[in-house]
Amino acid sequence: MKESSVDVRTPYAVTQLHGSGGRIEAVSIERVNPEGHLSGEAERLEIDAVIVNHGLRGDRGPISGWGLDMGEWNINADEKLATNLPGVFVAGDTANYPSKLHLIAGTFTDAALAVNSAKLYMEPDAPKTAYVSSHNSRFNEKNEALSVSEEEAHR
């Protein structure tokens, strides 16, 4: 929206709605100061529509001072979810990398990739991918009983 012709006002609070006949025609807004209080800077705006974004207030806490390569909303990483700091990996909504799809389903894959990458960082000789349900000894035993080779089972 910030790149469109829409007049985006942040951080402001709507303090009053004005209208007639069930239609909102204007709003009174007031700037919100950094402490979260109304500042007294009020303004009335004639409007076509009101779109309220309750927003979010991200607080990354102490990691903000670690030196991570961060964007406005995300922490930048490579395809293995490694950040610019050795041994620090990121996953989920805060992860940003070139092929990132911002879908909830993708965050599960991000988590598995980040865990695999962290494991390899800590133990470079570890298997390249973590074992999943079909890669455990119980399944291997059952596959052997069915004469299924380990290579066939992992395809």
Side-chain angles (χ1 to χ4, degrees):
M1 286 186 71
K2 289 179 179 178
E3 294 175 11
S4 74
S5 62
V6 173
D7 182 10
V8 178
R9 302 282 183 110
T10 59
Y12 280 82
V14 175
T15 56
Q16 190 172 1
L17 302 174
H18 309 278
S20 62
R23 176 169 150 48
I24 299 172
E25 298 164 345
V27 294
S28 293
I29 61 172
E30 194 168 330
R31 181 176 280 286
V32 177
N33 65 28
E35 293 79 35
H37 304 291
L38 296 176
S39 66
E41 298 174 38
E43 186 176 351
R44 181 179 167 132
L45 303 171
E46 302 298 316
I47 51 105
D48 296 318
V50 176
I51 300 172
V52 178
N53 178 355
H54 293 285
L56 63 103
R57 183 176 177 171
D59 182 359
R60 296 182 178 142
I63 69 169
S64 295
W66 290 7
L68 288 164
D69 178 14
M70 294 187 191
E72 183 178 357
W73 301 105
N74 306 99
I75 298 173
N76 296 315
D78 65 16
E79 70 282 350
K80 300 283 188 179
L81 285 297
T83 67
N84 62 305
L85 299 180
V88 178
F89 301 87
V90 64
D93 290 344
T94 196
N96 185 45
Y97 49 91
S99 61
K100 175 74 172 183
L101 288 176
H102 294 278
L103 301 172
I104 189 69
T107 63
F108 296 107
T109 301
D110 285 357
L113 287 170
V115 167
N116 281 337
S117 296
K119 173 72 172 178
L120 287 170
Y121 178 82
M122 293 183 288
E123 295 180 28
D125 295 330
K128 298 297 178 212
T129 57
Y131 287 111
V132 294
S133 62
S134 61
H135 295 122
N136 65 46
S137 60
R138 177 188 248 175
F139 284 101
N140 288 340
E141 291 168 10
K142 292 187 182 279
N143 285 333
E144 283 179 23
L146 295 170
S147 300
V148 176
S149 72
E150 190 171 329
E151 183 179 313
E152 290 173 311
H154 293 275
R155 279 191 224 154

